[in-house]
């Protein structure tokens, strides 16, 4: 099959890569559309030490094994493949299984290929009302919904989203469904315009995120760091209310320091946040509460995967898809 | 009046220090017993840039103004003096008022003196069943109860307390009331013995806190850092379960780094925790659920305050009181 493979520090398009064989309680999925995420770009820089087929955001159709009642169904899939036996797996939190592999990220070939395999329990069937171009956003949208899962948000809470990249735009749309007091600060007028069009308040960062938010003249009960930069957390600390909460969404290679005394004195809570629940993401897309289509910058054929990755790595780039 | 004053980088016992005059809605308290806390020791090293009468843990008797219905009552007092007008003060969280002063810590003379003043609303009357030597622990015990206030603890949660100093011993006793699965790791057999006598599981740290906990062979749902050292947080990170919570109790002058990627990937929550609610602390002492008396190392007269501070600063020292 055709696949985009990362090996020996190089990304390349390969023909004749072996089609994976589904194991017990797994299915074979013919991928139709895949999305490029910041994590893919980090992996190409060496993050996680991964080698193999890249990619973890996808929509596709189940094709095997024979007799599966999912044959022919359009599906998306959770990317963490748990052992099935530990306390985390048994409680439905296989995304925290200590023995997990992760699709296209750790120990498991990914979605930038004609075929992938996943356990049946990882799959979610996509209703007809959701187009492929929307369904491919379910995985990152679930990560945005994880914020609402982890933080008890009240309508009166003031919320600040730092960053207007892919995750920032999804987080902002999710949070707009649960707060009337939301501000998004970013650096890309084009990206912020997508939120503005949906009635979400935005501000352009005049050089540094901190300066931008301070110019807005207030502090916030909840600050979401989607900047993807080492400076984001420090900015969040300076903009959160005493007793406020910071949700940290981005992993960066650089080490970061923090004023932990401030954290103690102001009793701030810092919450690490990663993958999230698929059902609310699918529901929100089906009910058209979240609009992801304006976030698609381009669709490349799989053969041009290398070029697509370069495009996705440009500053302010939104979603680049691979048609397979 | 007699007072222990910190000024120009020096601690000294002063006679003839002016007796404070209670303002509107304030009372004058004759201090009978005061406790030395780690924060006092930090202030003497320059923390907070404070100058004036030291001390914030006390029990005393209300003596003025005439006509107050508190005259002659034995009281303890919350140490944060809010503006009374902001959202924090109006919601009862004056300890987070941005314009607050703090008794013996910031902008307000403290309790190592014959007299202090506090707003009436800061005071809590102490029932006769609580001795002075117990009542003087209400303020630090409230800080330990703050943990249970901030973290929703279930009986099935495994809890690790790192540190067997003054705060560690109080935190452990509070947490023992809400979990059956509690371990305390410390460096001082004498201190751990106080907990052991109450049926709390303890382990002696064989050189480093991390090694000690790892030797115990498990990870924990909730880790409380009461080490008072920069290394405590790192140890807590290595010992907390994915999706677990770390409560950070100690402020240290040194800057600290943290593996924030780990925080995101494992979705760990880091909670800064400072002062707490007085009522549950008073109730626990009245009901003899917490035993603070074995934690008293020595009682010094106020005149020997300097020596008492030196004693409190020794490794593994427990509570040093000042009889006034």
């Amino acid at each position: 099959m055709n696949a985009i493979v990362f090996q020996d520090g190089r990304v390349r398009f390969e023909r004749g890569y072996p089609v994976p064989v589904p194991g017990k309680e797994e299915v074979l999925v013919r991928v139709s559309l895949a999305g490029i995420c910041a994590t893919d770009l980090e992996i190409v820089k060496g993050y996680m030490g991964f080698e193999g087929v890249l990619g973890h955001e996808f929509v596709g159709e189940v094709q095997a094994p024979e007799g599966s009642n999912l044959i022919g169904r359009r599906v998306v899939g959770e990317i963490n493949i748990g052992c099935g036996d530990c306390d985390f797996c048994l409680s439905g939190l296989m995304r925290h299984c200590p023995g997990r592999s992760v699709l296209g990220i750790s120990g498991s070939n990914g979605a930038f290929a004609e075929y992938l395999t996943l356990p049946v329990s990882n799959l979610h069937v996509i209703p007809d009302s959701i187009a492929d171009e929307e369904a491919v956003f379910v995985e990152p949208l679930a990560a945005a919904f994880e914020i609402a899962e982890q933080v008890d948000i009240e309508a009166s809470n003031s919320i600040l989203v730092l960053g207007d990249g892919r995750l920032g735009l999804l987080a902002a749309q999710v949070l707009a469904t649960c707060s009337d007091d939301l501000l998004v600060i970013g650096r890309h007028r084009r990206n912020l315009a997508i939120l503005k069009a949906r009635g979400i308040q935005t501000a352009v960062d005049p050089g540094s995120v901190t300066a931008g938010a301070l110019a807005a003249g207030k502090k916030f009960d909840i600050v979401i760091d989607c900047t993807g930069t080492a400076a984001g957390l420090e900015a969040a600390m300076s903009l959160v209310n005493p007793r406020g909460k910071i949700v940290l969404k981005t992993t960066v290679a650089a080490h970061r320091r923090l004023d932990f005394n401030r954290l103690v004195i102001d009793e701030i809570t810092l919450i690490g946040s990663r993958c999230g629940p698929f059902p609310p993401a699918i529901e929100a897309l089906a009910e058209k509460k979240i609009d992801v289509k304006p976030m698609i910058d381009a669709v490349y054929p799989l053969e041009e995967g290398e070029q697509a990755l370069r495009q996705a790595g440009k500053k302010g780039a939104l979603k680049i898809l691979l048609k397979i």
Side-chain angles (χ1 to χ4, degrees), chain A:
Chain A
M1 67 176 183
N2 295 338
I4 300 292
V5 178
F6 179 65
Q7 202 150 20
D8 302 326
R10 275 192 53 216
V11 177
R12 58 172 177 267
F13 173 72
E14 282 196 27
R15 290 181 204 278
Y17 199 88
V19 173
V21 179
K24 206 182 146 204
E25 292 174 24
E26 286 191 337
V27 294
L28 182 75
V29 176
R30 172 66 175 84
V31 180
S32 45
L33 201 60
I36 299 175
C37 157
T39 304
D40 302 318
L41 303 171
E42 289 295 310
I43 286 172
V44 168
K45 292 181 202 157
Y47 178 65
M48 301 295 293
F50 176 77
E51 294 206 322
V53 177
L54 291 168
H56 57 276
E57 300 177 0
F58 74 94
V59 57
E61 198 183 283
V62 176
Q63 296 210 336
E66 261 183 64
S68 162
N69 57 10
L70 286 171
I71 294 276
R73 304 297 296 270
R74 214 156 49 102
V75 295
V76 295
E78 302 204 31
I79 67 175
N80 294 280
I81 303 152
C83 69
D85 283 330
C86 70
D87 286 351
F88 287 106
C89 286
L90 294 174
S91 71
L93 275 175
M94 60 189 167
R95 57 188 190 261
H96 288 291
C97 168
R100 70 186 178 271
S101 65
V102 189
L103 190 76
I105 294 176
S106 171
S108 200
N109 275 327
F112 296 168
E114 287 177 276
Y115 295 94
L116 62 80
T117 59
L118 267 181
V120 173
S121 56
N122 281 50
L123 300 183
H124 296 263
V125 172
I126 292 295
D128 293 343
S129 61
I130 300 178
D132 275 359
E133 295 72 33
E134 296 170 310
V136 75
F137 280 89
V138 166
E139 198 278 335
L141 184 56
F145 268 100
E146 180 72 351
I147 300 166
E149 188 93 346
Q150 292 177 287
V151 183
D152 201 13
I153 299 169
E154 291 171 30
S156 64
N157 288 145
S158 57
I159 304 183
L160 172 66
V161 173
L162 295 177
D164 60 5
R166 293 173 282 258
L167 189 55
L169 296 196
L170 292 174
Q173 288 196 59
V174 167
L175 293 166
T177 66
C178 44
S179 170
D180 306 324
D181 186 356
L182 171 67
L183 174 67
V184 181
I185 296 181
R187 291 190 174 179
H188 309 94
R189 285 177 198 279
R190 178 185 77 111
N191 298 3
L192 293 173
I194 294 170
L195 298 177
K196 260 186 174 165
R198 296 186 67 78
I200 294 170
Q201 205 193 336
T202 65
V204 178
D205 169 8
S208 84
V209 169
T210 315
L214 288 176
K218 65 184 269 193
K219 292 199 173 194
F220 299 81
D221 300 328
I222 301 167
V223 180
I224 322 292
D225 174 19
C226 297
T227 59
T229 71
L233 181 55
E234 205 178 321
M237 277 293 282
S238 69
L239 293 164
V240 71
N241 270 326
R243 284 234 157 178
K245 290 173 181 159
I246 296 172
V247 179
L248 188 59
K249 265 292 177 193
T250 37
T251 47
V252 291
H255 276 284
R256 287 171 284 178
R257 283 169 179 276
L258 193 70
D259 180 354
F260 288 101
N261 290 347
R262 173 89 208 289
L263 190 104
V264 172
I265 291 170
D266 283 346
E267 296 196 317
I268 292 164
T269 296
L270 179 59
I271 302 163
S273 180
R274 191 172 46 110
C275 298
F278 275 40
I282 294 170
E283 197 180 314
L285 289 173
E287 293 175 0
K288 312 296 174 201
K289 282 185 181 163
I290 307 275
D291 189 9
V292 293
K293 284 185 175 166
M295 289 177 59
I296 301 171
D297 266 0
V299 184
Y300 287 80
L302 188 63
E303 291 81 345
E304 295 174 19
E306 258 187 280
Q307 191 186 332
L309 279 162
R310 274 198 303 276
Q311 183 65 25
K314 288 188 180 163
K315 279 207 168 185
L318 289 177
K319 189 57 78 183
I320 306 291
L321 300 178
L322 294 171
K323 181 80 193 153
I324 302 168

